[in-house]
Amino acid sequence: MTNSLPETDALFRPANPAHFENKQISRPSLSFWQDAVLKIVKNKMAVIGFVLLTAIIVLSIIGPYLVPYSQSEQSLTEGNLPLSSDHWFGTDDLGRDMWARIWAGARISLIIGIASALIDLVIGITVGGVSGYMAGRGKTGDRIDSFLMRIVEVLYGIPYLLVVILLMVIMEPGLVTMIIALSITGWVGMARIVRGQILQLKQQEFVLAAEKLGTSHGKIIIKHLLPNMMGIIIVTLTFTIPQAIFAESFLSFLGLGVQAPTASWGTMANDALGTILSGHWWRLFFPALMISLTMFAFNAFGDGLQDALDPRSKN
Amino acid sequence: MSENVLEIHDVKKHFNVGNKQVVKSVDGISFSIKKGETLGIVGESGSGKSTIGRTIVGLYEATAGKVVFEGKEISQLDRKEKREFNRKMQMIFQDPHASLNPRMRVGEIIAEGIDAYGLAKGKAKQERVFQLLERVGLHPDHATRFPHEFSGGQRQRIGIARALAVQPSFIVADEPISALDVSIQAQVVNLLEDLQKEEDLTYLFIAHDLAMVKHISDRIGVMYLGKMMELAESQTLFQEPLHPYTNALLSAIPVSAPKLRGTRERIVLGGDPPSPINPPSGCPFRTRCPSTMERCAVVMPEWKEVKKDHWVACHLY
């Protein structure tokens, strides 16, 4: 009887050394963004949202040119015409073509939505970024951080309706005033999100490693912090744009937004209020439908993006 | 004996945690490391071992005390010297999942330090990256991959390559193996040992696994609640530990040889480590110490060299 096990024990066999040479990874190398696109394409709602969104944007550009009427051209004899092959969406009480007006309104909505979202983005990233990056860097850094955050908190407390009404008194009501009004209070949300993200990322070991390797502050922000926040920033954008669009429609509906004769979904819906009883349903239906569709498209797409860009949801 | 590359004198690092409360994460630690040596630091979670590592590399500024690297105190360095210090002293991080930027390709990650110091450009840089990848046992093809495509052990190798890229002389390894599988741990430790020989590196090796630390370290320091309890050569520390805490730690190492099992007494410490916000008076270990005395509650024992190269902080000696 021997103590050692037989040399060729069936349970263990020496591994083939060639096995260890096999260090190749067979999966194609996908960057983060390629991965995100693949995930979005798999998400039905996000695709529907994206298609709708593209359709709305394209039609807001070419829509008015598809009919021989301009959005402001009146024809009093052709007031309140129902849908027909001449007037696809009917006409309003002044005989203006609803199709042309809807897409002109879409332009206003999209411009306001995108412009105020971009302004939010720039101010929000700057303020939130400085605040988050300076926090914890000595006394001066902490002071800058708390100073900026106090401003954010004050602005957060002011209802935007109040700001808008105030601005309308001071400035001429219109597109620019509207964008300014929405941006003044809108950027604080982005600033808070960016600050929170930076505070979190700053503690990550890869940022510490970069600092230790002597990478400059600018490079750390551009190469390490921003790319890792892009997902959340973009998702926030896809939710602030519809918010701004909705705010525009709402304010125009109340008469605080863009002024006649400029078409806007909000003013069109407001004009149509009196006609609900008279049976000219298309006057209210199309602006309302467009507002809803746009909201839906942005939110569906934004949700899909959120899932696709969330680093924690790695299938 | 060769000179000390690193000396730290009575270093403290305190964190404010609001409400005027202070966590004394590191509270008065002194030791030195000789060139080419590996000093292991062990201690349970919250003992301040990571904090001391980060303070030494300069990621944290010491609240008090001096960190002297190659004869110069690091808080007094001018801009140029600071840059040189940052290059020479590198760190390997604990969590290989958090220490690599998920949005950068491996090649860019490794090249980061090369770029920061302008050590190489274009083709030469690429060559250097490939060389580093091979040096740590990866394939040059991996340069175009993203960190999430690698296993924990491979990521840790990438982290090591990144640190090596700037040709450091001193590496602080902050629990480099504790997040890895046991089978992978040995590979990474072997890699670190090989590199030490070839690149003439000095290590500060932080860990909580005594057996692994014994294997790699020349000397070992034992930390408890922000204080150093004992520091001695690895062999000495394992054969004749002086401090009751070291004794308890050593008795917790599992015995692999079946024949020897049961021959050693297991010292079981009661309770949890006290909160570093409100540490016990005197010696922090007295609340769990089997041989505590009245004096322990009054004064913190002095840090003294009981035998040659054997330091301990305990009233028993």
Side-chain angles (χ1 to χ4, degrees):
Chain A
M1 183 111 180
T2 118
N3 274 339
S4 60
L5 290 163
E7 262 174 60
T8 46
D9 184 9
L11 289 175
F12 290 102
R13 226 171 280 140
N16 178 3
H19 212 70
F20 299 113
E21 299 300 312
N22 189 11
K23 291 176 197 151
Q24 252 70 293
I25 305 174
S26 54
R27 183 181 184 262
S29 178
L30 291 178
S31 81
F32 173 71
W33 297 107
Q34 290 168 317
D35 225 29
V37 169
L38 281 185
K39 266 191 228 167
I40 285 242
V41 172
K42 276 187 213 154
N43 185 336
K44 250 190 211 143
M45 285 300 272
V47 172
I48 295 177
F50 180 75
V51 170
L52 264 177
L53 214 56
T54 322
I56 292 170
I57 291 170
V58 168
L59 277 170
S60 75
I61 296 166
I62 62 164
Y65 304 117
L66 297 180
V67 288
Y69 315 100
S70 86
Q71 53 126 337
S72 54
E73 184 189 330
Q74 301 183 4
S75 169
L76 295 176
T77 52
E78 296 184 314
N80 288 334
L81 289 181
L83 320 195
S84 66
S85 53
D86 282 341
H87 297 285
W88 298 339
F89 282 2
T91 62
D92 69 1
D93 52 349
L94 297 174
R96 292 176 290 195
D97 183 60
M98 286 283 287
W99 170 273
R101 282 181 73 73
I102 283 284
W103 298 118
R107 281 184 193 175
I108 300 282
S109 293
L110 288 174
I111 289 172
I112 287 185
I114 292 169
S116 61
L118 285 182
I119 296 175
D120 283 2
L121 181 79
V122 172
I123 304 179
I125 288 189
T126 315
V127 174
V130 169
S131 193
Y133 200 71
M134 293 313 286
R137 279 178 206 277
K139 277 220 168 74
T140 343
D142 279 334
R143 224 171 270 164
I144 292 173
D145 174 44
S146 52
F147 174 72
L148 290 175
M149 280 304 108
R150 292 303 88 72
I151 295 180
V152 164
E153 274 157 28
V154 168
L155 282 176
Y156 210 70
I158 304 175
Y160 82 95
L161 208 54
L162 215 66
V163 179
V164 176
I165 295 172
L166 255 168
L167 270 178
M168 293 299 169
V169 176
I170 306 166
M171 297 167 71
E172 219 168 279
L175 199 69
V176 178
T177 316
M178 194 86 146
I179 293 174
I180 294 176
L182 289 175
S183 318
I184 282 183
T185 54
W187 63 268
V188 294
M190 183 64 88
R192 283 188 156 185
I193 289 172
V194 169
R195 175 175 178 268
Q197 282 291 308
I198 291 218
L199 283 182
Q200 203 184 357
L201 286 173
K202 225 169 49 163
Q203 292 306 313
Q204 298 265 325
E205 289 181 342
F206 67 82
V207 179
L208 296 179
E211 228 171 281
K212 193 58 207 141
L213 282 168
T215 309
S216 64
H217 290 310
K219 257 199 172 166
I220 289 184
I221 293 174
I222 291 169
K223 290 194 89 171
H224 292 282
L225 299 178
L226 281 180
N228 282 290
M229 312 195 303
M230 249 13 235
I232 287 177
I233 289 175
I234 289 174
V235 169
T236 313
L237 264 189
T238 57
F239 290 113
T240 53
I241 294 175
Q243 267 172 25
I245 292 177
F246 191 79
E248 183 275 327
S249 301
F250 170 65
L251 290 169
S252 299
F253 182 79
L254 291 180
L256 289 168
V258 294
Q259 303 294 306
T262 318
S264 142
W265 294 339
T267 50
M268 289 167 77
N270 187 26
D271 289 345
L273 274 184
T275 63
I276 298 177
L277 295 175
S278 58
H280 307 130
W281 57 270
W282 58 90
R283 301 252 334 255
L284 187 59
F285 176 75
F286 287 112
L289 177 74
M290 286 314 300
I291 296 175
S292 317
L293 274 184
T294 313
M295 294 300 106
F296 167 76
F298 269 109
N299 283 316
F301 185 57
D303 264 341
L305 267 183
Q306 191 158 36
D307 289 342
L309 298 181
D310 187 354
R312 275 161 300 186
S313 70
K314 223 86 262 107
N315 14 301
Chain B
M1 223 23 193
S2 49
E3 42 161 346
N4 292 335
V5 239
L6 181 87
E7 283 176 23
I8 72 170
H9 301 286
D10 203 22
V11 164
K12 293 180 182 176
K13 177 66 197 173
H14 298 175
F15 293 99
N16 292 317
V17 286
N19 291 333
K20 305 229 159 124
Q21 283 183 317
V22 172
V23 175
K24 295 179 177 173
S25 205
V26 169
D27 199 25
I29 285 190
S30 308
F31 59 76
S32 58
I33 303 180
K34 292 184 193 76
K35 189 159 175 43
E37 178 186 46
T38 300
L39 176 72
I41 290 190
V42 289
E44 46 199 302
S45 323
S47 60
K49 52 193 193 306
S50 285
T51 308
I52 191 76
R54 290 183 176 192
T55 309
I56 288 171
V57 298
L59 286 173
Y60 293 156
E61 208 173 307
T63 314
K66 283 195 287 188
V67 178
V68 180
F69 181 67
E70 291 182 342
K72 284 181 187 145
E73 197 186 332
I74 62 167
S75 61
Q76 307 294 328
L77 299 177
D78 62 34
R79 217 161 214 270
K80 213 176 141 203
E81 289 172 325
K82 181 94 191 163
R83 236 176 113 68
E84 191 56 15
F85 163 74
N86 269 336
R87 184 183 69 76
K88 279 187 179 167
M89 167 113 49
Q90 280 303 317
M91 186 156 188
I92 296 169
F93 291 90
Q94 175 176 8
D95 183 354
H97 295 264
S99 61
L100 306 175
N101 185 346
R103 303 281 187 273
M104 279 165 81
R105 290 176 192 273
V106 167
E108 298 173 76
I109 292 175
I110 295 174
E112 193 173 3
I114 302 179
D115 287 336
Y117 289 94
L119 299 177
K121 287 223 160 58
K123 194 118 190 139
K125 182 171 92 178
Q126 191 144 4
E127 278 302 309
R128 177 90 181 111
V129 169
F130 288 165
Q131 202 187 332
L132 283 161
L133 275 171
E134 282 191 328
R135 188 67 209 79
V136 296
L138 294 170
H139 196 277
D141 284 356
H142 291 164
T144 57
R145 298 277 164 177
F146 287 92
H148 68 82
E149 300 176 59
F150 294 90
S151 69
Q154 288 174 316
R155 288 187 206 206
Q156 202 56 286
R157 287 167 191 268
I158 297 168
I160 293 170
R162 170 177 63 188
L164 286 180
V166 292
Q167 291 161 319
S169 60
F170 192 105
I171 288 183
V172 173
D174 183 5
E175 305 204 33
I177 50 166
S178 57
L180 306 178
D181 281 354
V182 178
S183 54
I184 308 295
Q185 286 186 350
Q187 293 179 8
V188 171
V189 165
N190 288 341
L191 173 64
L192 286 172
E193 283 188 314
D194 290 348
L195 290 172
Q196 178 165 38
K197 266 177 239 145
E198 286 158 33
E199 316 267 332
D200 200 17
L201 296 168
T202 310
Y203 285 148
L204 176 70
F205 194 90
I206 300 166
H208 54 229
D209 179 344
L210 272 168
M212 195 56 90
V213 169
K214 185 192 176 194
H215 173 73
I216 194 169
S217 308
D218 300 310
R219 286 186 303 147
I220 298 176
V222 179
M223 276 183 79
Y224 186 78
L225 225 64
K227 295 224 161 54
M228 191 71 91
M229 290 293 157
E230 186 165 1
L231 178 70
E233 304 224 329
S234 308
Q235 282 303 326
T236 325
L237 189 90
F238 271 74
Q239 274 155 15
E240 19 174 337
L242 296 177
H243 200 283
Y245 181 57
T246 317
N247 258 314
L249 279 185
L250 293 178
S251 81
I253 299 175
V255 182
S256 51
K259 278 183 187 163
L260 291 175
R261 269 178 211 158
T263 57
R264 214 175 51 184
E265 195 190 345
R266 169 94 160 86
I267 306 167
V268 181
L269 295 178
D272 293 319
S275 152
I277 295 179
N278 190 13
S281 61
C283 173
F285 185 58
R286 70 172 166 87
T287 51
R288 300 166 79 194
C289 184
S291 39
T292 178
M293 302 176 280
E294 261 173 52
R295 203 148 54 109
C296 300
V298 190
V299 260
M300 172 67 201
E302 213 183 312
W303 179 240
K304 57 191 168 199
E305 195 168 10
V306 185
K307 290 174 198 163
K308 191 178 178 308
D309 290 330
H310 197 152
W311 295 72
V312 70
C314 185
H315 286 308
L316 290 173
Y317 305 97

